Structures are given as structure tokens and as C-alpha cells.
Amino acid sequence: TPRHATPSIPSRSAPARKPGNVLEEARTRLHVSSIPESLPCREQEFQDIYNFVESKVIDGTGGCMYISGVPGTGKTATVHEVIRSLQQSAEQDEIPHFHFIEINGMKMTDPHQAYVQILQKLTDQKATPDHAAALLEKRFGAPAPKKETTVLLVDELDLLWTRKQNVMYNLFDWPTRRNARLVVLTIANTMDLPERIMINRVASRLGLTRMSFQPYTFKQLQQIITSRLNRLKAFEEDALQLVSRKVAALSGDARRCLDICRRATEICEHSGSQKNGSGLVGMSHVMEALDEMFSSSYIAAIRCASVQEQLFLRAVIAEFRRLGLEEATFQQVFVQHQALCRVEGLQPVSVSEGLAVCQRLGSCRLLLLEGSRLDLFLRIRLNVSQDDVLYALKAD
Amino acid sequence: MSKRRSAALTEAQRVSLAQTLLRERLCHQKLPDRPVGLDSQYKHLLELLRRTAVHGESNSVLIVGPRGSGKTMLLGCVLRELMSLKEVQKNVLLVELNGLLQTDDKIALKEITRQLHLENVVGDKVFGSFAENLAFLLEALKKGDKSSSRPVLFVLDEFDLFAHHKNQTLLYNLLDVSQSAQTPVAVLGLTCRLDVLELLEKRVKSRFSHRQIHLFSSISFAQYVDVVRAQLSLPPDFPDPKFSEEWNHSVTKLCEEKSVEEILKRHFNASKDFRSLHSLLFLAVSRVSVSRSTLCEADLLEASRLISADSKANVLHGLSILELCLIIAMKHLNDTYDGEPFNFQMVHNEFKKFIQRKSHSIHKFEKPVVMKAFEHLLQLELVRPVDSGVCKVQREYQLMRLMLEHGQVMEALQRYPQCPTDVKQWALSAFG
């Protein structure tokens, strides 16, 4: 890399257009990227993390915290908010100043890059991983007067796992040093990660300060959307409730909820030109969006398949019934296929054509196939349930 | 003489012009003016990309459809229309990746850096290690903001292959950018796998917006014939209107022909995708010459015969009588022992029985000759060893399987040029 290159994306000639109408405005606010000033429904977690970090910063000690929860439950956003409000109070000299660094396990190519990134963010110098580790060791180990507390956020902790676990060990060991003044906040998805993948000395250093983020309930999801819309009238009440109930029942992922709402505004905008409704996003739009995003496409795929492909699927099921197994070779299915062709009054296909049909179904994963070198003896399994196939074939 | 000659020349030019045009359409996958039967998907995608380009809204979308269903064509048409908008033209960066070329994140990252012309690119080379490249790219994307920096469109062809990269780092980062207030990006994935979402890791999946555009063609046969007609017709701006009128007339007449309809029906039944249709039409069009300057029924018949021929039957026609006899022997073994694997010795015994019983001396061959014939079949992969491991067993006793269907053997025998009658009878008689 050239020494003084500044990474940037070229800027555009004219600034982006601002949202024009209510629905566009709603869409901008509902985008996942527009994080609101205060996160609703996470007050308790916010308070806990705030107290933890604040006490460490004031005391000038160090410590670790482990935060877990399924994706889309507001872990990273909450921590960022905590840091933001702590930085505000630091500016007003209510608490001592501190340094905030963030690393993400997914955003580095190798666990040892963590050292490099931490060092670069602390002191703006570049080093190899080994060298960086040594420098950090010196920095956190040696006593130094007037040192600021450092708050280190480690996202996607599970990716920092190495065979010897020395990256994790170091991250959790530095805060225990007397002079380190380091607070480490770690985030991962699974609750039992410390027990599952960490060896004893790592897990014990991580300590027992843990917090888990529960998936959002439907009321919370509803509140999140309402607070984002911020008195902008774009949605019907019932529509919001339907979205939040559906998402809460499936995963409780706030991202999903926002994406669906955004899609619903789009659908509303397109249908709005034809029939003049209230201009709000209604039940029907939300239903359509939910359908689009959640429903499986296998059935539609089978319905739109060509005649021979449908016949082949029927032959597969017929052969499974005959064998009483969930697996058959191409040769066996092909015999059934030819019989079915005769029943349907179609010209029987040749083996090459039959194999082509089979491969086509395999490439879109309606069937699971072995390598095609096995030719007649490649084994076939269904990737969909038999009922789905029968339903899709019968419905028309 | 000279007059006729000049007329013939122009005729040749006309035909070659027409052929060039059709070839462009059929095998170079030239973009049509408007995709057929994909109006709603076209609108959805165009609107989505327009919002990224104009409003700076980040999006992610997957285009899913079977092979040959026009995913790239749809995207090409949408991008063409998008780029023709004045507001968009110079404000969008396009990055195209293909899962078959960018086989790991390292290569993909270099390619992205190169296509974005970031500052660590000198000439055509990207400097820095993998880790530095990633950090540089993320830093660059992070610096941008919604309203002032240029939106980037990432097109990931063969999206499912990117899901096999280590930790799915690239996908995570691209989708993460699309979900956070950084440079506006649109991540477009093209794939033929319906279960592509199941390949994604949980955190990657959560960052994907779950927008999928499905391309399942539900066209009827009548529409299919219309497409054939449209594909074969010459455009109105063809230089010689008289020729194009004649040509189009002949195409229209051709499509109404009963036998042509049968061929097309057969192809339609086999698969609805236009790529296989194109290869059929291409074979037909390439038979047009100066002496026969219009497309006729026989061309299509021949093309269809070429396309739907069974490849193994063709191989069987090229075998010698001895090899054919061995195949028949194996077929009998398969019938008698219900598909159990056999070895050379068994085949040879079966063959010897045949010779002793009815054949005259013409089929008497020494054992090494028979072995050679057997090995030839092995090379053609008409027979394959059961366990493909290292052969510790002697070659005569290695267990084999016949890679042919019963019907294939019988059909090949019917069509075999000058097949001796006794061989035919032997094949027909059940149980050797």
C-alpha cells in the first residue's frame, strides 16, 4: 500500500435526492442503517452495560464482559449507544476520559490480525501480528502514570478462536494486569460459547460478568417500528402488529422486521397509483411482503418446471414408494420415468435427455445428486418433502 | 453472366447478413429490447437499483432462477436502462464478480479494489497483503456517506460459490455495509440454487434483506412458439426489405407447420429455458445457405435430431461386432443375476457359450483378443469397475458394471449397420 494513501470512494457530482413523499420518508427511517438516538426496549441492558463500563472507567480498573444473543437483537447497537453517552459525559468532565476501540472478528482475515488492528487504532502504527502483540503486551503490562482507560469492543468473538486460543487468552488476560486499565466487551451469538470452545484458563479470565439479549417480543418490535417512524403516519396499526407478530414468532430479529416494513412501503407505493386507498400501508401490502420474504420457493419452482421435469419428480416419488427408501439410483427412476411417459402419452425420452432433466433439477436443488460421472448409478434424493412435491403437482 | 453473378453476390451478402444477425442473437446472447414475460421482476429490480443510485439507499437482493432462465439477461437489461438515466450515468460504480473466477476472498478483494480504482491500485496491480486490502476497502467504504459518495453496485454472479469461502468474510462485509450508514451499496446476487439462504451463516443471513426475485417461467406453449417466431424473424431495419419480408413470411409459415410444432412441443416439454431453444435454432439457422436461402422444415428436423440424439447409442453404433457381442453378454448377465456386478471371466464364458451353441467360426476369437475388446469398452466407460480404487485384483476378476440401459442396447442393435442375424437373435432370446 502506498504510504499516505487515504482510502475513499469518489464522491458524486450531485448530492443524493432527498425523500419526496411520506412513504419515501418512512422508508428512509425504516432502513436498518439509520440507527435512532435511543434504542427502545433495551433500557435494562443499556443500564447494566453503562454501569459496568462507567464504574470501571471511574475506578481506573479493568474487566471483561461477555454479551450474547441471536443476530438482530441490538447487541452492537446497544454497546455503541452506551459508549456514545459515556463519551458525552466524559466531554462534560463528569467521568475521566477514555479511549474507545472496536474490532470485529468477521472483518479480519485471520485471528492474529486483531493485534494489528488494536495497535493501529491505539497508536496509529503498523506492525506485523507478532510485533504488534509484543508492543501491546508492553503497553498493557508496564505501569505508566496518567494512562487513560481503554474500552475495547470485540464483535464476533467466536472467530478469534485459534487452536492455542492465544488471541482470546491475551484479550482477557490484559484487563487483569494491574496497570492495564482495559475494559473488554465481547459480543457473540451463542450463550454457552465460553464453556464450549474456550479452555479453562481462558474461560476463567473471561469471568462471570455475562449478559444475554433475548429475542424481541412482538410488543417490543412494534415499539421499535413506532419509535422509528416517530409519529410519521405511514402504517395502519393492524399492519404493524401483523409484521411484529410474524417476526417475533419466527426469530425476533429486528432487521427482518424493518426489512419487511420497508418492502411493504414499496408494495404500497406501486399499488397506490391504481386504486386510491388511504395512502397508508395496509394489511394486504404487509401480507404480500411477508409472503415474498418468508415463503419457500420450492413449490413455485415445481409448478413452473417443464412437463418432463415434473414427470421426473413423480417418477422419483413413485420409485421411493416402491423401494420404501428415500434414495434411488438414476437407472431405477429412469425406468419409472419412461413408464410414466407412456402413461401420459408422451414420446419416451432417451437416457441422455433423462439425465439432462435430472441434472437440471439437481442444479436448482430440488433433488440432491451425486456426481454425474456415476451416470446410471448416481443416487438421487429429494431436497423437498414428498408432500410438497405432490401438493405442487396436484394443485394445477 | 456478369449480371447473374452480381445478383448471386448480393444474395450471398443478404444471407450472410441475416445469419450474422441471427447468430448474434442466438449464441452471443445479445440483450433483447425488453425481457419477455418478466415485467414485474424487471420493474422491481429497476426500482430497487434506481433508489440506490438516486437516493443512496443501500439494498441487497438475490435473483434466483434455474439455469438458462435469463438472470444475467434481466440484470443486463436493467443496468442498461439504469445507466441511460441522466442522474445515474456518472454517479454509480459497478463492480462485477463471478464465483467461478473469484474462487476465494483474496482474489475477490483484489478484483473489487481494482474495479473501484482505490488508491492502493497502481496500474493494474493491487498492493498490500490480504489483510491490508480488506482493511483498506472497509475503511474506504466507511468514510463514505449516504448523500455525497457514489453508490457502488456489487454484482455477484454464481452467488452460491461465494458462500463456500472461508468464514463468508466477503459476504458478511458487503452485507454489513449495506446495513449500516456507510457508502450506499447494492449487493446483487445471481444464483440458480433455491436453497441458497440455507448456505449462509446465521449472522450473514441476518444482514441479508431477504429480498429474492424469482425467475420461474410460466409461459404457455403458444407463447413459446411466439418466442421462436420472434427469435427467428429479421428486424424491420434490415437493409433489404424484400428479403426480410420473404424470410419473415417463411418463418411464420414454418411455425404453423404440424411437424415443426411437434418438435417444438417436444423441446418445450423437456425444458422451458431459452438457452436450449437457442441451441436448437442455431443448428437450424446454420444450415441456411445461398442455394437455399430460407429456413425450411427439414432444417429444424435435422437440428432436433442432432440435439436429442442419445450419446451412448451413438457410441454403440461405432463398436465392432465382437464388442457388441460382449455388451450383449453383459446384458444377459445383468438379466440373469438381476444387476449384480460381473467380471471379465463371466462375460467371456457367456460369450463362449454363444459361440459353441450357434455361431459359426466367424466369431471365434482368442481370449486375448476378447480381453482387448473388453478393455476398449472399459476405456469408453461403457463398463466401469465397481470400486474405483487401486486394482489389487487381476484384471480378469475385477468386478464391473454395465453403464447401459436395457432399452439402449436393444435400440442400438436395431440400428446397427449390417448386424449379423445370429447376434441379433442371441440378443433377443431371453436368458442367453
Side-chain angles (χ1 to χ4, degrees), chain B residues 22 57 66 74 98 121 127 129 184 194 197-198 204 250 254 298 307:
Chain B
L22 290 175
E57 182 184 295
L74 176 72
N98 190 322
V121 182
F127 285 92
S129 68
L194 295 171
L197 282 188
E198 288 157 40
V204 182
S250 76
L254 187 73
I307 271 198

Side-chain angles (χ1 to χ4, degrees), chain A residues 14-311:
Chain A
R17 215 191 274 170
K18 292 273 174 283
N21 57 24
V22 177
L23 284 176
E24 279 179 17
E25 175 72 33
R27 199 148 55 220
T28 321
R29 290 194 193 174
L30 285 173
H31 197 279
V32 186
S33 67
S34 60
I35 293 171
E37 296 90 60
S38 78
L39 290 170
C41 316
R42 287 295 181 217
E43 288 83 11
Q44 186 56 48
E45 286 85 355
F46 174 84
Q47 204 55 49
D48 288 350
I49 302 175
Y50 189 92
N51 291 345
F52 177 80
V53 179
E54 191 191 26
S55 66
K56 301 286 180 205
V57 170
I58 290 176
D59 298 347
T61 55
C64 295
M65 186 175 203
Y66 178 73
I67 300 166
S68 65
V70 291
T73 46
K75 301 179 295 292
T76 312
T78 308
V79 173
H80 278 154
E81 205 188 323
V82 167
I83 298 299
R84 216 168 29 237
S85 55
L86 278 170
Q87 272 166 344
Q88 264 175 19
S89 27
E91 268 167 35
Q92 290 158 9
D93 285 327
E94 288 163 13
I95 57 168
H97 276 269
F98 65 94
H99 220 80
F100 175 62
I101 308 174
E102 181 183 5
I103 59 170
N104 185 326
M106 273 302 239
K107 292 191 178 174
M108 50 187 104
T109 52
D110 176 85
H112 295 281
Q113 288 292 326
Y115 299 132
V116 180
Q117 295 203 356
I118 294 171
L119 186 75
Q120 195 180 10
K121 282 169 184 167
L122 267 179
T123 62
D124 220 18
Q125 72 186 113
K126 270 187 190 168
T128 59
D130 288 337
H131 189 211
L135 287 177
L136 286 174
E137 183 71 43
K138 211 161 96 191
R139 186 185 163 94
F140 290 123
K146 286 179 67 182
K147 192 151 66 171
E148 278 184 355
T149 304
T150 310
V151 179
L152 174 63
L153 170 62
V154 184
D155 215 339
E156 312 291 358
L157 177 72
D158 48 331
L159 285 165
L160 294 184
W161 187 88
T162 51
R163 189 184 299 263
K164 280 188 178 165
Q165 308 197 357
N166 44 4
V167 178
M168 281 186 186
Y169 178 83
N170 277 332
L171 282 180
F172 302 142
D173 189 44
W174 290 330
T176 59
R177 310 282 172 80
R178 263 188 71 197
N179 309 305
R181 304 191 114 190
L182 177 67
V183 183
V184 179
L185 302 172
T186 55
I187 299 181
N189 290 143
T190 44
M191 202 148 72
D192 58 345
L193 189 79
E195 285 77 29
R196 222 155 26 85
I197 68 168
M198 292 182 197
I199 49 179
N200 283 336
R201 60 193 159 104
V202 177
S204 98
R205 276 175 176 75
L206 173 59
L208 294 171
T209 323
R210 306 221 184 143
M211 166 173 294
S212 71
F213 278 61
Q214 298 303 319
Y216 288 115
T217 61
F218 90 91
K219 278 207 175 120
Q220 289 172 324
L221 286 174
Q222 211 173 344
Q223 204 184 330
I224 289 171
I225 305 175
T226 329
S227 84
R228 283 215 174 205
L229 286 174
N230 194 15
R231 285 203 291 284
L232 190 73
K233 194 68 190 140
F235 274 83
E236 284 173 17
E237 273 310 306
D238 292 346
L240 276 190
Q241 191 166 24
L242 179 70
V243 175
S244 34
R245 275 190 192 269
K246 274 270 188 189
V247 174
L250 272 166
S251 60
D253 187 337
R255 291 198 188 104
R256 201 66 332 97
C257 202
L258 294 170
D259 281 333
I260 291 169
C261 289
R262 215 150 57 85
R263 177 69 189 133
T265 60
E266 276 168 35
I267 293 172
C268 176
E269 195 164 272
H270 286 299
S271 65
S273 53
Q274 289 132 30
K275 56 174 178 15
N276 195 17
S278 53
L280 296 182
V281 181
M283 275 301 232
S284 58
H285 307 130
V286 169
M287 283 296 268
E288 203 179 322
L290 279 168
D291 236 36
E292 234 173 67
M293 288 182 161
F294 281 139
S295 67
S296 133
S297 50
Y298 288 115
I299 289 176
I302 296 172
R303 273 193 197 150
C304 292
S306 68
V307 176
Q308 295 289 358
E309 284 161 4
Q310 290 181 345
L311 269 190

Side-chain angles (χ1 to χ4, degrees), chain A residues 12-13 16-17 28 31 106-107 156 158 253 255-256 262 266 298 306 308 352-353 360 373 375, chain B residues 51 53 57-58 87 146-148 172 176 179 203 206 208 211 266 269-270 310 312 381 384:
Chain A
R12 48 195 297 162
S13 52
R17 215 191 274 170
T28 321
H31 197 279
M106 273 302 239
K107 292 191 178 174
E156 312 291 358
D158 48 331
D253 187 337
R255 291 198 188 104
R256 201 66 332 97
R262 215 150 57 85
E266 276 168 35
Y298 288 115
S306 68
Q308 295 289 358
S352 295
E353 284 172 298
R360 262 204 302 278
R373 274 209 76 192
D375 208 0
Chain B
R51 277 211 312 278
E57 182 184 295
S58 294
E87 251 177 314
K146 200 175 150 188
S147 62
S148 69
Y172 177 92
D176 194 53
Q179 297 258 302
R203 49 191 151 215
S206 166
F208 172 61
R211 260 170 221 263
R266 190 178 153 82
N269 280 348
D310 188 40
K312 276 199 187 148
E381 297 207 356
R384 284 185 58 162

Side-chain angles (χ1 to χ4, degrees), chain B residues 4-248:
Chain B
R4 268 188 65 193
R5 199 174 149 151
S6 75
L9 248 176
T10 49
E11 179 72 14
Q13 277 170 345
R14 271 183 234 147
V15 171
S16 85
L17 205 66
Q19 275 196 327
T20 322
L21 221 142
L22 290 175
R23 237 179 255 147
E24 184 85 353
R25 208 184 271 165
L26 295 175
C27 41
H28 292 260
Q29 312 290 348
K30 194 178 158 224
L31 290 181
D33 296 329
R34 191 80 196 226
V36 187
L38 299 171
D39 281 335
S40 68
Q41 288 98 329
Y42 183 79
K43 250 203 220 142
H44 184 176
L45 191 61
L46 182 62
E47 179 61 21
L48 196 80
L49 293 187
R50 203 183 60 77
R51 277 211 312 278
T52 303
V54 176
H55 293 282
E57 182 184 295
S58 294
N59 277 310
S60 52
V61 66
L62 271 179
I63 304 173
V64 185
R67 292 218 180 274
S69 60
K71 301 179 285 289
T72 314
M73 186 265 292
L74 176 72
L75 185 65
C77 287
V78 168
L79 285 179
R80 186 180 56 190
E81 179 152 355
L82 188 76
M83 291 305 175
S84 68
L85 293 177
K86 216 175 161 196
E87 251 177 314
V88 179
Q89 252 160 15
K90 284 183 181 151
N91 280 334
V92 170
L93 298 162
L94 184 66
V95 177
E96 283 173 313
L97 302 174
N98 190 322
L100 291 167
L101 297 176
Q102 280 78 42
T103 46
D104 65 20
D105 281 350
K106 209 184 247 182
I107 305 171
L109 215 61
K110 285 225 159 126
E111 187 62 24
I112 293 174
T113 317
R114 203 180 61 75
Q115 290 192 24
L116 282 178
H117 299 293
L118 291 184
E119 276 190 33
N120 54 349
V121 182
V122 179
D124 240 1
K125 274 219 175 86
V126 180
F127 285 92
S129 68
F130 179 31
E132 278 173 322
N133 283 336
L134 181 65
F136 199 86
L137 176 68
L138 292 180
E139 189 66 20
L141 289 171
K142 208 171 172 182
K143 278 243 179 89
D145 74 2
K146 200 175 150 188
S147 62
S148 69
S149 59
R150 285 203 207 177
V152 188
L153 306 184
F154 288 98
V155 177
L156 307 179
D157 210 343
E158 308 288 346
F159 183 82
D160 47 315
L161 297 179
F162 284 96
H164 295 305
H165 293 182
K166 191 188 162 223
N167 288 344
Q168 305 186 346
T169 313
L170 183 75
L171 289 185
Y172 177 92
N173 286 308
L174 289 185
L175 292 174
D176 194 53
V177 171
S178 85
Q179 297 258 302
S180 51
Q182 303 177 1
T183 307
V185 297
V187 182
L188 297 154
L190 283 81
T191 177
C192 63
R193 286 182 64 159
L194 295 171
D195 62 348
V196 64
L197 282 188
E198 288 157 40
L199 296 176
L200 298 181
E201 250 194 90
K202 236 185 345 191
R203 49 191 151 215
V204 182
K205 195 174 165 186
S206 166
R207 280 166 176 77
F208 172 61
S209 73
H210 281 66
R211 260 170 221 263
Q212 296 192 44
I213 296 179
H214 291 290
L215 302 184
F216 299 131
S217 75
S218 51
I219 56 167
S220 64
F221 181 61
Q223 285 167 314
Y224 191 76
V225 176
D226 285 343
V227 170
V228 172
R229 199 175 302 132
Q231 288 285 338
L232 287 178
S233 299
L234 293 175
D237 60 348
F238 192 74
D240 190 337
K242 193 158 155 278
F243 179 80
S244 83
E245 197 175 308
E246 264 173 43
W247 175 276
N248 289 350

Side-chain angles (χ1 to χ4, degrees), chain A residues 312-325:
Chain A
F312 195 86
L313 284 173
R314 271 166 61 185
V316 169
I317 290 185
E319 189 61 22
F320 284 177
R321 294 249 166 98
R322 192 181 72 85
L323 293 171
L325 294 171

